Amino acid sequence: MIDSRTQVLLIDDDPHLRQALSQTLDLAGLKVSSLADAHGVAARIERDWPGVVVSDIRMPGIDGLQLLQQLREQDPELPVLLITGHGDVPLAVQAMRAGAYDFLEKPFASDDLLDSVRRALALRRLVLDNRSLRMALADRHTLSARLVGQSPAMLRLREQIGALAGINSDVLILGETGAGRLDLSLFARLVALRRITLYKNKRKDSMFKLTAKALACALSLSIAGMAQAADPIVIKFSHVVADHTPKGQGAALFKKLAEERLGDKVKVEVYPNSSLFGDGKEMEALLLGDVQLIAPSLAKFEQYTKQIQVFDLPFLFKDMAAVDRFQLSPEGQALLKSMEDKNITGLAYWHNGLKQLSANKALREPKDARGLKFRVQASAVLEEQFKAVKANPRKMSFAEVYQGLQTGVVNGAENPYSNIYSQKMHEVQKFITESNHGVLDYMLITNTKFWNSLPADVRSELDKIIVEVTAE
């Protein structure tokens, strides 16, 4: 059975997204249990379990809709939040009609998930309180113990209270102090709970009315707030690695310093572990203005400029000190501005370290790599390196690497130690060769139009913060 202390049961077959969402919920103070599939879940949840379920829709085996049906057969009032990808909105609407509490369309902000989960938990508590009150009403001895007396008036009052439990109506309780209004008020609460449940069931029918009210409210609030400070500039920082990696720590420090020094002028939202966009989509998102800061690997700029491919050449840098010397040189700094005609401005280089080879066999000589399938980033230079030693390069997004190594889709990879450790690649790779054969650094980049549109004082302070974060 699912532990009764668990507040959120998270089900998603994507290990990296599951890890990121679990971390988000855990950091918000929620007790989370996560599963890779929905097999047997319904049988493990007791009817009065006090938590909520968050599930992906598209999963192998039992999908999110089938799980929803199973859970509703067991407990129609259990909140189930469904996660849907692009193109799944009609499916999600179908799920809402079938009884899902809410759905979130990928990519979504962490705050949206937390807000929906907290509302669902609040409703769940009310539902369970509702059930407890109904059980108390069913027990005439319990009711008689609280409302004592056997006069015709008291007997009639108890009968009327019992009847009220099944009626959807507001109740006004009159009486002098000490007459028992506190006990009777339990039933006013019961009726209120019923009205909340009724609202949820009629959610679709009232959606447009609620939207109109919300818009009117938002408009009035906007007018009232015009005399107050303007909304902060929102800077979304998306990346694909864990928080405790060099890039993750850099993003967190940037957020901390920016909000400390610029106050309510800016708000920085950090999305780690591909929770907003994966490395295959983050560049497109930046150009569309969906995010404002990303820090891709230097191997990701092939289609925007060939100049940065210099970093992909093997054994070009003896150590990280040599990397520093080049990046700080006039030639290295010029590369930061080499894509501004493509609406991409480089702000800084961020270190991640020299690359090491990993595989399920020892790699001591170039011939040992012959025939192995290596995951590589989307770089023609990197592909040619592995072809030169008769290996088979396979392009693969970073979020898929662990699973690819685990299932044998690829046999090896090249990564700095921070990536190997943070993504637990050492669990699925028997050997690591300390080859230091290339650098895997990042370029912190922004949308050029966005950056140039910032107020001069804000942009100047952010430039200083980036210099400070880069030096850490």
Side-chain angles (χ1 to χ4, degrees):
M1 290 295 176
I2 301 298
D3 191 334
S4 62
R5 293 171 296 178
T6 298
Q7 295 172 284
V8 183
L9 179 60
L10 173 66
I11 309 166
D12 198 303
D13 60 324
D14 183 331
H16 299 291
L17 182 58
R18 189 170 67 248
Q19 178 186 4
L21 296 181
S22 294
Q23 185 179 46
T24 296
L25 294 165
D26 183 64
L27 290 173
L30 299 171
K31 185 172 178 56
V32 188
S33 292
S34 62
L35 299 172
D37 62 70
H39 181 73
V41 167
R44 296 169 58 190
I45 295 180
E46 296 180 341
R47 187 173 186 274
D48 289 330
W49 174 61
V52 300
V53 175
V54 179
S55 174
D56 192 12
I57 289 183
R58 298 195 179 279
M59 299 184 293
I62 298 175
D63 64 25
L65 289 178
Q66 292 170 319
L67 175 63
L68 172 64
Q69 181 179 358
Q70 293 177 3
L71 293 174
R72 283 187 60 77
E73 288 173 357
Q74 181 170 306
D75 185 351
E77 296 176 303
L78 176 66
V80 179
L81 287 67
L82 293 178
I83 301 172
T84 176
H86 289 295
D88 284 340
V89 174
L91 189 62
V93 172
Q94 175 188 345
M96 294 291 288
R97 291 173 177 167
Y101 174 78
D102 200 357
F103 77 92
L104 296 172
E105 184 180 356
K106 300 175 186 175
F108 51 82
S110 298
D111 287 345
D112 292 339
L113 172 66
L114 293 173
D115 179 63
S116 185
V117 166
R118 285 168 176 150
R119 284 187 287 106
L121 284 170
L123 176 62
R124 185 62 173 167
R125 286 192 294 270
L126 293 176
V127 167
L128 295 182
D129 284 348
N130 189 337
R131 290 178 184 174
S132 297
L133 288 170
R134 287 183 180 279
M135 290 178 64
L137 280 174
D139 187 346
R140 293 294 175 174
H141 295 293
T142 300
L143 186 58
S144 297
R146 295 190 67 87
L147 298 177
V148 296
Q150 297 299 322
S151 68
M154 288 303 297
L155 291 174
R156 186 167 61 254
L157 177 60
R158 284 197 289 269
E159 290 296 329
Q160 290 173 340
I161 291 172
L164 281 175
I167 298 175
N168 176 40
S169 178
D170 294 310
V171 177
L172 175 63
I173 303 172
L174 302 175
E176 299 295 332
T177 301
R181 285 181 298 168
L182 180 60
D183 290 319
L184 295 182
S185 69
L186 292 173
F187 298 96
R189 182 183 180 197
L190 172 63
V191 174
L193 298 178
R194 289 179 52 79
R195 291 175 67 83
I196 289 173
T197 304
L198 182 66
Y199 159 74
K200 179 182 178 295
N201 293 334
K202 293 184 177 180
R203 182 178 180 180
K204 175 179 177 293
D205 295 336
S206 61
M207 184 180 297
F208 292 107
K209 294 179 181 178
L210 290 173
T211 301
K213 291 180 180 178
L215 288 173
C217 180
L219 180 60
S220 63
L221 288 173
S222 297
I223 294 173
M226 282 182 180
Q228 301 178 9
D231 289 338
I233 299 167
V234 176
I235 301 175
K236 295 182 180 180
F237 193 150
S238 175
H239 64 83
V240 302
V241 295
D243 283 325
H244 57 274
T245 61
K247 189 189 329 189
Q249 292 175 340
L253 182 57
F254 173 81
K255 170 182 171 67
K256 177 178 180 293
L257 296 180
E259 294 182 347
E260 282 180 357
R261 297 179 185 177
L262 289 168
D264 57 5
K265 291 183 179 180
V266 300
K267 176 185 178 184
V268 180
E269 300 175 356
V270 177
Y271 299 89
N273 272 322
S274 302
S275 57
L276 187 61
F277 294 101
D279 57 358
K281 293 288 186 182
E282 62 179 7
M283 191 71 81
E284 178 185 352
L286 182 82
L287 294 173
L288 291 174
D290 294 333
V291 295
Q292 288 70 47
L293 285 177
I294 60 175
S297 160
L298 294 171
K300 298 293 177 63
F301 297 103
E302 182 178 73
Q303 70 181 93
Y304 304 100
T305 177
K306 301 296 184 184
Q307 299 177 52
I308 297 178
Q309 286 185 297
V310 65
F311 289 101
D312 293 340
L313 293 172
F315 301 106
L316 184 64
F317 302 104
K318 179 182 178 180
D319 50 30
M320 291 308 296
V323 175
D324 271 332
R325 286 194 296 272
F326 176 73
Q327 291 178 349
L328 292 173
S329 71
E331 292 79 9
Q333 291 295 298
L335 293 178
L336 295 173
K337 308 301 181 184
S338 63
M339 298 175 287
E340 291 195 337
D341 60 330
K342 305 291 195 307
N343 199 30
I344 299 170
T345 293
L347 301 172
Y349 295 105
W350 282 8
H351 286 331
N352 194 28
L354 296 174
K355 294 184 288 187
Q356 321 303 332
L357 290 170
S358 66
N360 283 327
K361 62 176 289 189
L363 301 175
R364 295 187 174 89
E365 300 179 29
K367 66 180 182 180
D368 295 330
R370 184 186 296 268
L372 296 182
K373 294 173 289 186
F374 280 86
R375 179 263 175 174
V376 298
Q377 300 178 78
S379 164
V381 175
L382 296 180
E383 285 188 84
E384 291 303 318
Q385 288 179 43
F386 286 94
K387 288 179 181 179
V389 294
K390 308 301 181 185
N392 299 310
R394 294 283 187 273
K395 295 179 181 179
M396 181 181 291
S397 69
F398 187 70
E400 298 171 349
V401 176
Y402 180 91
Q403 187 175 6
L405 294 169
Q406 185 179 44
T407 59
V409 174
V410 288
N411 312 122
E414 55 168 6
N415 284 284
Y417 282 120
S418 66
N419 285 8
I420 294 171
Y421 180 76
S422 67
Q423 299 300 316
K424 300 182 178 180
M425 295 180 193
H426 55 283
E427 295 179 354
V428 290
Q429 296 275 264
K430 295 180 180 178
F431 297 92
I432 296 174
T433 300
E434 190 169 82
S435 52
N436 290 328
H437 63 278
V439 64
L440 200 163
D441 271 3
Y442 306 116
M443 185 184 288
L444 179 65
I445 61 174
T446 186
N447 182 298
T448 302
K449 293 179 181 177
F450 164 78
W451 195 252
N452 291 340
S453 71
L454 292 174
D457 62 324
V458 172
R459 187 169 63 249
S460 176
E461 188 59 39
L462 291 177
D463 278 329
K464 295 175 184 176
I465 290 170
I466 289 169
V467 170
E468 186 173 335
V469 172
T470 301
E472 283 291 323

